[in-house]
Amino acid sequence: MSAKPRIVFDHVSVRFPTERGQMQVVEDVSYAIADREFVSIIGPSGCGKTTMMNIVAGFMTASAGSVTLDGRPIAGPGPDRGVIFQEYGIFPWLTVKENIAFGLKLRANRTDEKEREEICQRYMRLMGLSDFAGAWPRMLSGGMRQRLALARAYAVKPQFLLMDEPFGALDAQTRMAMQDLLLEVLAAEGKTVMLITHSVEEAVYLSNRIIVMTARPARIREIIEVPFAYPRSEDLHERREFGELRAHVRQLVMQEYAQQARQKPQADN
Amino acid sequence: MITRFAVILVPWLLLVAVWYAIHYSGFINPSLVPTPHAVALRGWELMHSRLPLDIVMSTQRVFTGVLSGIIVAVPVGFVLGWYRNVRSLIDPLINFFRALPPIALIPLVIVYFGVDELAKTVILFYASFFAGVIVMYEGISQISPIYVRVARTLGASDSEIFRKVILPLAVPHMLTALRVALGVAWATLVASELIAAQQGLGALIQNAGSFFQLDIIYVGIICIGFIALIMDLALRALSRRFLSWQERLA
Ligand SMILES: Nc1ncnc2c1ncn2[C@@H]1O[C@H](COP(=O)(O)OP(=O)(O)OP(=O)(O)O)[C@@H](O)[C@H]1O
Ligand SMILES: [Mg+2]
């Protein structure tokens, strides 16, 4: 990873006001995500992962420290950063196809009718949604909604992908298919990715680096380089080195979960 | 097809049967309960005299009142729902005025606006506005911010967010507001016509009452019921047309 840094966290802390005073959620976190790098963030539930992503997405700012994008402070959300939200946010009043076309019709990424149609068709095909082009989102299963959220974000071709548990609702087979599809899209379009996941397997399979966060307040527990070259394919899962790395990361995550469980009874502050 | 028709028709036929039963049962002085056919006959007669004008006057008043009320209620309700701090400021006022039954204001309105059409429009405007504004702002304040966030990450500008996200999410609440306002306005209208009007279904009933013409009272009541029913059906059809994306329609 000699490429230039694009997303830089510099001594970032986040505190939220609560009834019992300030709650420290992120504490003195520094890391950089390089161009076209795939970084996974993994850590106990509620530690502050989504919070970090919200800063990059432009929905909030750090309480201390700075987060920069290509050296500039983040001014707000924008189509350069595609976000897959933990809760998808599928537009219920638009059909499947209209959801995918939504971004393409905005002034920021204006595309002509023909191109839009091609992009929609392409992603519906890739996501297995072609038969549901005219369906209302309420008719879709959880996994289909998730795939729709992916299609909608991919369609505007963002330089960055910020993905919050994007495959969490998928069955094991679809999940692997979506991971491979993501790698394909990345190989073809070259994006910088920040992925939040609870799956160690997934993190090791997809990433250049894995950042393991501590229980809240989130600090960096360890940054792990994943040495496997791209393109990766599913037989990687069977390799011994893969298993060793997975075991190492899993152990760190388990320790942090245990730590969190110990903290639970006492008050947050 | 035939069964569907029967399902719609049977309750009405049952109602008419009960009506006849009451008339002929002897429990109540039959002269106090005109028979359905006598009422139908009177209705037919009135159709050739004042009834069409009464119906037109009443519906027209409701339409102007509801339309003007909703046209103001939608943007106001929208602002109150969207900007929480404005809402907490205005909320007590709105609740105060909404709690006043519009009928209680009729004497005051007569003093200020006289007894002609303007007075009735003012009352109906009042009734529709407060019924509509509440529905609207409660609906808008419940819109999940996730959709706005998603739209922003896809590159939407403020005006695009308003047109392409907030507006479609507001439509169901507008239609509900319209339906609620229509119900309230219709109830208020008849009351206001009972007090001060020469034409309109309320006036028809009121006049008939002073001459003890029970059959005419029934004709008036049935007309009011059917017009309200038709308006509600029309609004539901409108909702189905615009809200097919929603789970289920009431
Ligand atoms: N706007 C907010 N105001 C107050 N507290 C907040 C806010 N957003 C998040 N928090 C708190 O910050 C902590 C971290 O939240 P965050 O959503 O970042 O966790 P997470 O790591 O994404 O968890 P999960 O894996 O379960 O999604 C939680 O305890 C949450 O309650
Ligand atoms: Mg989260």
Side-chain angles (χ1 to χ4, degrees):
Chain A
M1 280 304 115
S2 53
K4 66 177 165 55
R6 301 207 65 185
I7 302 173
V8 177
F9 278 68
D10 187 19
H11 297 290
V12 171
S13 292
V14 178
R15 286 178 291 275
F16 285 119
T18 66
E19 289 103 54
R20 286 167 290 155
Q22 301 276 311
M23 178 173 73
Q24 183 87 28
V25 173
V26 176
E27 190 172 272
D28 195 25
V29 166
S30 299
Y31 58 84
I33 301 179
D35 191 38
R36 304 192 178 207
E37 192 181 16
F38 194 127
V39 170
S40 290
I41 313 263
I42 198 162
S45 178
C47 73
K49 303 182 293 298
T50 300
T51 304
M52 291 198 297
M53 205 177 85
N54 277 337
I55 297 174
V56 181
F59 292 122
M60 55 178 291
T61 51
S63 314
S66 73
V67 181
T68 51
L69 199 73
D70 294 329
R72 284 184 297 275
I74 294 164
D80 56 330
R81 282 152 288 149
V83 182
I84 313 285
F85 292 89
Q86 212 165 1
E87 60 274 53
Y88 321 150
I90 299 300
F91 300 133
W93 66 94
L94 299 179
T95 63
V96 166
K97 190 171 157 193
E98 289 166 343
N99 261 280
I100 301 174
F102 183 92
L104 301 168
K105 287 182 180 167
L106 299 172
R107 231 174 310 130
N109 353 271
R110 190 59 99 187
T111 42
D112 62 51
E113 183 80 45
K114 189 166 150 284
E115 191 185 351
R116 193 157 65 225
E117 180 67 24
E118 273 169 22
I119 296 174
C120 288
Q121 294 299 344
R122 167 151 182 264
Y123 284 107
M124 284 193 295
R125 201 176 56 246
L126 288 174
M127 298 292 168
L129 293 168
S130 297
D131 293 341
F132 296 88
W136 297 116
R138 68 178 152 89
M139 302 165 173
L140 305 181
S141 70
M144 290 163 83
R145 276 173 221 210
Q146 200 158 41
R147 282 180 271 149
L148 177 55
L150 293 169
R152 183 178 59 185
Y154 291 170
V156 297
K157 297 205 167 21
Q159 300 174 43
F160 299 92
L161 276 178
L162 312 176
M163 311 173 92
D164 198 350
E165 289 271 347
F167 309 127
L170 302 177
D171 62 90
Q173 280 70 34
T174 314
R175 188 172 187 140
M176 285 176 57
M178 287 298 122
Q179 290 169 357
D180 287 331
L181 176 61
L182 172 60
L183 289 179
E184 261 172 58
V185 171
L186 296 179
E189 299 174 12
K191 297 181 195 304
T192 305
V193 184
M194 179 171 172
L195 171 86
I196 294 172
T197 181
H198 282 289
S199 162
V200 175
E201 183 92 28
E202 178 168 284
V204 177
Y205 183 58
L206 294 174
S207 324
N208 293 109
R209 280 189 305 158
I210 302 170
I211 302 182
V212 180
M213 307 302 299
T214 65
R216 201 180 68 225
R219 275 170 280 110
I220 293 178
R221 169 69 196 265
E222 195 171 316
I223 298 183
I224 295 124
E225 297 278 343
V226 181
F228 314 116
Y230 296 93
R232 295 176 185 175
S233 60
E234 272 153 26
D235 49 1
L236 183 62
H237 291 282
E238 318 306 330
R239 293 245 307 260
R240 190 175 52 80
E241 303 94 306
F242 186 91
E244 284 168 7
L245 199 57
R246 183 179 53 199
H248 173 62
V249 177
R250 186 163 287 155
Q251 193 193 10
L252 293 173
V253 174
M254 295 306 278
Q255 282 171 5
E256 289 307 322
Y257 262 98
Q259 179 66 27
Q260 187 188 39
R262 269 196 299 282
Q263 286 174 355
K264 257 281 150 30
Q266 70 193 35
D268 310 305
N269 44 42
Chain B
M1 194 61 220
I2 292 169
T3 53
R4 243 193 82 192
F5 207 64
V7 166
I8 295 172
L9 218 57
V10 162
W12 296 104
L13 291 176
L14 225 64
L15 187 69
V16 173
V18 170
W19 186 352
Y20 270 117
I22 292 172
H23 179 83
Y24 289 115
S25 66
F27 290 132
I28 300 172
N29 182 348
S31 67
L32 291 180
V33 187
T35 55
H37 60 263
V39 171
L41 197 67
R42 183 50 58 97
W44 179 253
E45 273 172 37
L46 285 173
M47 262 335 256
H48 297 91
S49 56
R50 64 174 292 184
L51 194 56
L53 185 64
D54 288 326
I55 291 176
V56 168
M57 287 308 288
S58 290
T59 29
Q60 195 179 310
R61 285 169 188 153
V62 168
F63 268 120
T64 30
V66 167
L67 222 59
S68 56
I70 285 296
I71 284 175
V72 183
V74 163
V76 172
F78 182 84
V79 168
L80 292 180
W82 200 251
Y83 302 100
R84 253 151 247 254
N85 37 356
V86 181
R87 180 181 168 182
S88 52
L89 209 70
I90 309 279
D91 216 26
L93 277 185
I94 296 248
N95 278 320
F96 173 81
F97 282 108
R98 188 187 62 139
L100 294 178
I103 301 166
L105 297 178
I106 291 175
L108 201 61
V109 170
I110 290 175
V111 169
Y112 291 138
F113 297 94
V115 290
D116 52 7
E117 287 310 301
L118 180 63
K120 285 166 202 87
T121 310
V122 167
I123 292 174
L124 293 184
F125 171 85
Y126 180 94
S128 323
F129 173 78
F130 284 103
V133 87
I134 299 266
V135 172
M136 192 67 195
Y137 87 62
E138 303 221 309
I140 295 290
S141 64
Q142 271 154 29
I143 290 180
S144 160
I146 178 81
Y147 302 120
V148 175
R149 289 183 156 213
V150 169
R152 281 207 198 288
T153 64
L154 291 168
S157 64
D158 282 349
S159 88
E160 280 171 328
I161 285 178
F162 182 77
R163 280 182 292 118
K164 298 179 168 214
V165 178
I166 296 169
L167 226 45
L169 284 170
V171 168
H173 305 298
M174 286 184 211
L175 287 171
T176 314
L178 197 59
R179 231 174 121 187
V180 171
L182 210 55
V184 172
W186 196 237
T188 310
L189 168 89
V190 174
S192 70
E193 285 179 345
L194 284 173
I195 293 168
Q198 276 74 55
Q199 287 118 22
L201 292 166
L204 176 77
I205 294 173
Q206 177 61 23
N207 290 343
S210 20
F211 296 105
F212 206 69
Q213 295 164 311
L214 284 174
D215 47 357
I216 297 188
I217 295 183
Y218 276 91
V219 170
I221 291 172
I222 291 169
C223 282
I224 289 169
F226 271 116
I227 295 172
L229 194 66
I230 290 168
M231 285 184 180
D232 205 58
L233 284 176
L235 262 183
R236 279 200 218 192
L238 203 67
S239 304
R240 255 196 297 281
R241 165 83 181 67
F242 283 107
L243 303 181
S244 47
W245 55 273
Q246 282 193 332
E247 207 67 62
R248 192 157 301 257
L249 299 160

Short mmCIF file of all heavy atoms in Angstrom, two decimals, chain A residues 45-51 86 164-165 196 198, ligand 2:
data_model
loop_
_atom_site.label_atom_id
_atom_site.label_comp_id
_atom_site.label_asym_id
_atom_site.label_seq_id
_atom_site.Cartn_x
_atom_site.Cartn_y
_atom_site.Cartn_z
N SER A 45 -20.24 -4.85 19.21
CA SER A 45 -21.44 -4.07 18.91
C SER A 45 -21.53 -2.86 19.84
O SER A 45 -21.28 -2.97 21.03
CB SER A 45 -22.67 -4.96 19.09
OG SER A 45 -23.82 -4.22 18.85
N GLY A 46 -21.84 -1.73 19.26
CA GLY A 46 -22.00 -0.51 20.06
C GLY A 46 -20.70 0.18 20.41
O GLY A 46 -20.68 1.10 21.21
N CYS A 47 -19.59 -0.23 19.79
CA CYS A 47 -18.31 0.36 20.20
C CYS A 47 -18.08 1.71 19.52
O CYS A 47 -17.37 2.56 20.04
CB CYS A 47 -17.15 -0.60 19.93
SG CYS A 47 -16.70 -0.78 18.21
N GLY A 48 -18.68 1.94 18.37
CA GLY A 48 -18.49 3.24 17.72
C GLY A 48 -18.10 3.14 16.25
O GLY A 48 -17.62 4.12 15.67
N LYS A 49 -18.36 2.01 15.64
CA LYS A 49 -17.98 1.82 14.23
C LYS A 49 -18.83 2.68 13.31
O LYS A 49 -18.31 3.40 12.45
CB LYS A 49 -18.13 0.34 13.84
CG LYS A 49 -17.34 -0.61 14.72
CD LYS A 49 -17.48 -2.05 14.29
CE LYS A 49 -18.87 -2.62 14.47
NZ LYS A 49 -19.33 -2.64 15.87
N THR A 50 -20.15 2.61 13.49
CA THR A 50 -21.04 3.41 12.65
C THR A 50 -20.75 4.89 12.84
O THR A 50 -20.78 5.68 11.89
CB THR A 50 -22.51 3.09 12.98
OG1 THR A 50 -22.73 1.70 12.73
CG2 THR A 50 -23.46 3.91 12.13
N THR A 51 -20.42 5.25 14.07
CA THR A 51 -20.08 6.64 14.36
C THR A 51 -18.90 7.10 13.50
O THR A 51 -18.94 8.17 12.89
CB THR A 51 -19.74 6.79 15.85
OG1 THR A 51 -20.85 6.32 16.61
CG2 THR A 51 -19.44 8.22 16.21
N GLN A 86 -26.62 0.58 7.55
CA GLN A 86 -26.98 -0.63 8.28
C GLN A 86 -28.47 -0.93 8.10
O GLN A 86 -28.87 -2.08 8.02
CB GLN A 86 -26.66 -0.41 9.77
CG GLN A 86 -26.26 -1.65 10.51
CD GLN A 86 -25.61 -1.33 11.86
OE1 GLN A 86 -25.48 -0.18 12.27
NE2 GLN A 86 -25.19 -2.36 12.55
N ASP A 164 -21.78 -0.32 5.87
CA ASP A 164 -22.05 -0.67 7.27
C ASP A 164 -22.80 -2.00 7.30
O ASP A 164 -24.00 -2.03 7.00
CB ASP A 164 -22.88 0.45 7.92
CG ASP A 164 -22.82 0.37 9.44
OD1 ASP A 164 -22.31 -0.63 9.97
OD2 ASP A 164 -23.29 1.33 10.08
N GLU A 165 -22.12 -3.08 7.57
CA GLU A 165 -22.75 -4.40 7.64
C GLU A 165 -23.56 -4.69 6.39
O GLU A 165 -24.73 -5.05 6.48
CB GLU A 165 -23.73 -4.44 8.82
CG GLU A 165 -23.08 -4.44 10.15
CD GLU A 165 -22.80 -5.85 10.61
OE1 GLU A 165 -23.31 -6.81 10.00
OE2 GLU A 165 -22.02 -5.99 11.53
N ILE A 196 -17.61 -2.01 7.46
CA ILE A 196 -17.85 -2.41 8.84
C ILE A 196 -18.49 -3.78 8.81
O ILE A 196 -19.45 -4.00 8.06
CB ILE A 196 -18.77 -1.41 9.55
CG1 ILE A 196 -18.06 -0.07 9.67
CG2 ILE A 196 -19.17 -1.93 10.92
CD1 ILE A 196 -18.95 1.04 10.18
N HIS A 198 -19.20 -7.66 11.15
CA HIS A 198 -19.03 -8.48 12.36
C HIS A 198 -18.45 -9.84 11.99
O HIS A 198 -18.20 -10.66 12.86
CB HIS A 198 -20.37 -8.67 13.07
CG HIS A 198 -20.77 -7.46 13.87
ND1 HIS A 198 -20.12 -7.09 15.01
CD2 HIS A 198 -21.73 -6.53 13.67
CE1 HIS A 198 -20.68 -5.98 15.50
NE2 HIS A 198 -21.66 -5.63 14.70
MG MG C 2 -23.35 0.16 13.61
#
